[in-house]
Amino acid sequence: MLPESTNGAGGTSGGGLAVPMAWLCAEYLADGVLRAAALVAPGSLEYRAGLQALALTVHLAEEPDGPAGAWAACRVDEWLRHTAYDRPWPPWVEERLAARQASGGEGPDLALARTAWRQLRDTWIRAADLDGRTDPESPVDETEQIWLPAWKLGLPLAHLSLHLR
């Protein structure tokens, strides 16, 4: 299965609409994981942030020329490592997007991944301050809220959802 196909025009060079199959598979998998975890309401801003963060992680962890869909069952540990709290996720995303750009140019999968990253980076959400606690063992005071880029809320949601799958 090729990572991209067309709407029946016989190939991407035949003038048909390119379908971003790799991105759609990653987003479908992320949606299933988040819905199964049931941590936030589907359709909420928090859900969208988690969906985009997990879809980006799934999509960018895959090799660009790898078979679409063949990775789902065996890559969860890798996705957990990439979404872990102590990992530098934003630089990893930037590096992987740049590598994809350099190796294959702009395709529909890369365009959607770049859009998701831009939205996660540029959208700010008011949420509880998870990093502002002085004692890591103390509970989070949800009344003390700050503005966070959406990825800072979506990434822990994606990670926890993967654990609960």
Side-chain angles (χ1 to χ4, degrees):
M1 173 194 261
L2 297 174
E4 295 176 2
S5 65
T6 63
N7 64 351
T12 55
S13 62
L17 176 65
V19 179
M21 290 306 295
W23 177 259
L24 292 175
C25 287
E27 202 170 53
Y28 178 78
L29 186 136
D31 184 59
V33 169
L34 287 169
R35 284 181 188 274
L39 295 171
V40 293
S44 67
L45 204 55
E46 295 86 355
Y47 185 86
R48 187 72 189 158
L51 177 72
Q52 289 178 326
L54 186 53
L56 263 176
T57 302
V58 168
H59 182 67
L60 295 176
E62 182 62 27
E63 292 305 315
D65 296 330
W71 32 256
C74 60
R75 303 295 293 265
V76 174
D77 288 340
E78 181 181 358
W79 302 334
L80 282 166
R81 279 193 310 277
H82 286 302
T83 59
Y85 179 74
D86 60 346
R87 299 295 297 231
W89 190 75
W92 177 78
V93 169
E94 294 278 349
E95 290 166 12
R96 296 296 288 199
L97 287 172
R100 295 277 174 98
Q101 177 81 33
S103 70
E106 192 73 26
D109 290 308
L110 182 59
L112 287 171
R114 290 170 94 58
T115 298
W117 173 235
R118 193 171 32 259
Q119 289 173 345
L120 282 170
R121 187 191 59 216
D122 297 345
T123 302
W124 288 71
I125 299 172
R126 190 148 172 83
D129 185 7
L130 301 176
D131 292 331
R133 297 179 296 163
T134 54
D135 178 17
E137 300 298 318
S138 66
V140 173
D141 181 5
E142 293 190 32
T143 61
E144 296 211 20
Q145 296 190 339
I146 60 170
W147 288 99
L148 301 169
W151 72 265
K152 278 200 157 193
L153 186 62
L155 192 63
L157 179 60
H159 185 77
L160 185 55
S161 295
L162 281 168
H163 269 292
L164 297 174
R165 64 164 179 35

